[in-house]
Amino acid sequence: MADEQKPNRMNDETDFSRQIGAQATRKLKAQGRATKAIWFGLGMSGLIGWSVTVPALLGVALGVWVDRRFPSQYSWTLMLMLLGLIIGCANAWHWIDSQDKEMHEDSNE
């Protein structure tokens, strides 16, 4: 009866050892990427800010030009600024989504 329990315990220990080894490997990878992650995060926030700001400013510039060139009762500046803002937000969302998918693919490997 003692012999029957011994093989199961050995299998449990090897499974447990594999799980601990996998966790240790993930932890070492995460520690190696810690400083890179901070700078990457700061760079990402700047990139996201500019990806929203630039289309909005381009919309404003184009709207001012249209308003001066073709006066009307509607403000093309506001409409094109809003359009630029929407395009910028969609661009930022797409960028963040692709980075999130890439990070999850890396963590699964």
Side-chain angles (χ1 to χ4, degrees), residues 5-7 10 21 30 32 35-36 41 52 56 60 63 74 77-78 81 83 96 98-99 104 107:
Q5 291 178 353
K6 210 171 197 179
M10 303 252 322
T35 56
K36 291 179 185 177
V52 173
V60 167
Y74 301 109
T77 303
L78 290 175
M81 180 186 70
L83 180 65
I96 290 172
S98 67
Q99 291 298 315
H104 280 72
S107 68

Side-chain angles (χ1 to χ4, degrees), residues 13 18 26 37 53 56 71 74 91 95 106:
E13 287 179 359
R18 286 185 204 137
R26 286 193 302 269
T53 303
Y74 301 109
N91 187 23
W95 181 261
D106 287 346

